Amino acid sequence: MTDRTPGVVVHADRQTLAEAAADRMVTTVVEAQSARGRADVVLTGGSMGSALLVALGSSPGRDAIDWSGVDLWWGDERYLPAGDPDRNETQARDALLDQLPLDPSRVHPMPAAGDDSDVDAAAARYAEQLAARAAEESPRQDVPTFDLLLLGVGPDAHVASLFPEHPALHEQDRSVIGVRGAPKPPPTRISLTFRALCAAHDVCFLVSGSDKADAVGLALSGTGPMQAPAAGVRGVRSTTWLLDRAAAARVPRQLVRPASP
């Protein structure tokens, strides 16, 4: 049986963390492509999501990936008009995606505001895209088995757009939901649910900064996902928290292993 206990790796600083995350992404994607000719990766937003992509753009390993055989997804999105600078998609394109030889049909941004009647319809449409991709693997699945899921964590321990005590945490049937009333602006968002997030082979949290230390410590202390949603995401094969020293200040010592030299 696969050990689903999270691993914790602490890096000296934010830049080292971003570079290590980029290396991990390269390794995972190359392995997936060697095994089955393609890879499915879920990107994260926020400052660390952009930092990873910038580091990947400067990494020699970037050219080891066949970018035409990569499907890119997002774990959540701010429900804003296309091209809005606060959208995760916009930030990812600016950081790296527009420089890569990607197959446009394999880049799957979450719908923008105005493309559907409302956020629920937008979420349902994204769920249909996931189901279509999943059907290529098995008719019994409605979510792809993502090779790598990248996630950030908020100071309140939210993950994707699943916030503490929010009704969205109770969703068990749908893979994608519209989130209304989020405590962090903008209040309307789209998010994968726990069921979809936990379909990934490998989950990798990327967290930097002292303002995240309490949230990281809470999520790794055994607290339930209602109080710390980040605690509710586990990979099928592995779950790894990549932290800088500031973010790791509250992590139980027995969970930490040093970064490779």
Side-chain angles (χ1 to χ4, degrees):
M1 182 180 294
T2 301
D3 181 5
R4 302 188 80 194
T5 302
V8 180
V9 181
V10 179
H11 295 275
D13 53 38
R14 173 190 172 89
Q15 182 60 34
T16 307
L17 164 58
E19 292 169 357
D23 290 344
R24 185 177 290 258
M25 180 174 170
V26 169
T27 298
T28 303
V29 170
V30 169
E31 288 178 351
Q33 291 184 329
S34 296
R36 59 192 182 92
R38 65 186 298 170
D40 287 87
V41 176
V42 183
L43 299 176
T44 187
S47 60
M48 278 310 306
S50 294
L52 177 153
L53 293 174
V54 170
L56 180 59
S58 301
S59 169
R62 161 182 166 173
D63 296 331
I65 293 174
D66 174 8
W67 289 103
S68 67
V70 177
D71 279 79
L72 294 177
W73 307 87
W74 272 264
D76 75 321
E77 185 58 274
R78 299 167 176 90
Y79 193 56
L80 297 168
D84 189 289
D86 285 336
R87 275 180 59 87
N88 293 333
E89 177 201 359
T90 305
Q91 294 171 11
R93 290 188 181 279
D94 289 345
L96 179 64
L97 300 192
D98 285 346
Q99 304 171 37
L100 297 175
L102 294 162
D103 179 345
S105 69
R106 290 186 165 183
V107 179
H108 310 279
M110 288 184 165
D115 291 346
D116 299 89
S117 58
D118 60 19
V119 69
D120 295 322
R125 184 156 64 89
Y126 203 65
E128 291 173 358
Q129 293 182 42
L130 290 173
R133 170 70 188 96
E136 299 174 21
E137 300 174 352
S138 169
R140 296 183 297 276
Q141 295 180 201
D142 65 350
V143 177
T145 304
F146 304 119
D147 296 290
L148 178 63
L149 167 67
L150 300 166
L151 291 170
V153 177
D156 59 355
H158 83 261
V159 66
S161 283
L162 303 178
F163 292 87
E165 306 293 347
H166 195 280
L169 297 172
H170 298 282
E171 178 59 50
Q172 297 182 1
D173 297 324
R174 289 175 291 175
S175 59
V176 189
I177 53 173
V179 176
R180 291 182 169 87
K184 179 181 179 181
T188 307
R189 297 158 174 255
I190 303 173
S191 185
L192 299 188
T193 62
F194 282 139
R195 188 168 71 82
L197 294 170
C198 292
H201 269 295
D202 296 319
V203 171
C204 190
F205 290 91
L206 315 174
V207 195
S208 170
S210 59
D211 62 320
K212 306 291 183 69
D214 287 343
V216 172
L218 186 66
L220 290 170
S221 69
T223 300
M226 293 300 111
Q227 292 73 42
V233 183
R234 294 287 187 273
V236 174
R237 181 170 67 178
S238 73
T239 306
T240 306
W241 289 69
L242 299 182
L243 312 172
D244 65 8
R245 287 176 182 160
R250 304 284 189 272
V251 175
R253 292 290 180 186
Q254 67 270 22
L255 295 180
V256 179
R257 65 179 187 266
S260 300

